[in-house]
Amino acid sequence: DLKLLESQWLEFSERTDEMEATSSLMERGFAFGFTEGVLVRAFREGWWLLLDEINLAPTEVLERITGLLDSHKGWILTERGDEREIKRHPEFRIFGAMNPATDSGKKSLPPLVRDRFTEFW
């Protein structure tokens, strides 16, 4: 129970630091900030993540996913505005699903992204 309490306290402390940083930015007139989402948490905590209809994602998103798939150690989120590396959990996995590009309104997955996945039919 003591380890759990310590873990919860550290998480609370990190969130408090983030809130203080956000508050400071808002005081200076900057109203936007980066909030970590499911992808970042999955990378850090070793979740398995399904990206459904991956071929419909914007090019910018696919570029960032490609960089993530190439990283076996860590990931630097330039969107966050700093150079703090996030360590990749060894159990982290990404699964991409898509319908055939021949379906109406669909498009092919770019080869640079497609080559990083194993295909099952």
Side-chain angles (χ1 to χ4, degrees):
D1 284 337
L2 186 56
K3 286 199 181 265
L4 176 62
L5 184 59
E6 182 179 352
S7 172
Q8 290 174 337
W9 179 255
L10 289 173
E11 184 178 336
F12 174 75
S13 177
E14 289 176 7
R15 287 185 180 192
T16 302
D17 290 345
E18 289 175 14
M19 186 178 71
E20 287 175 351
T22 301
S23 175
S24 174
L25 289 172
M26 290 177 70
E27 288 174 4
R28 290 185 267 150
F30 187 78
F32 297 96
F34 181 83
T35 302
E36 291 184 0
V38 174
L39 178 59
V40 177
R41 289 192 63 200
F43 188 82
R44 180 185 294 120
E45 298 179 23
W47 298 352
W48 290 16
L49 187 64
L50 171 64
L51 302 176
D52 194 21
E53 298 286 358
I54 191 172
N55 58 320
L56 299 181
T59 304
E60 296 83 8
V61 172
L62 293 174
E63 287 173 359
R64 286 301 278 158
I65 291 170
T66 302
L68 176 66
L69 294 171
D70 289 340
S71 173
H72 296 287
K73 295 180 183 177
W75 189 27
I76 297 176
L77 290 173
T78 54
E79 294 88 352
R80 187 167 44 195
D82 62 21
E83 296 180 10
R84 198 171 45 175
E85 183 179 75
I86 298 171
K87 301 279 187 225
R88 180 185 181 137
H89 192 285
E91 298 298 318
F92 172 69
R93 301 288 185 273
I94 290 184
F95 298 88
M98 60 181 270
N99 290 315
T102 56
D103 285 0
S104 177
K106 308 295 181 193
K107 62 182 182 178
S108 295
L109 197 59
L112 289 175
V113 178
R114 189 174 181 170
D115 290 345
R116 286 165 175 81
F117 286 93
T118 301
E119 294 185 33
F120 294 97
W121 295 90

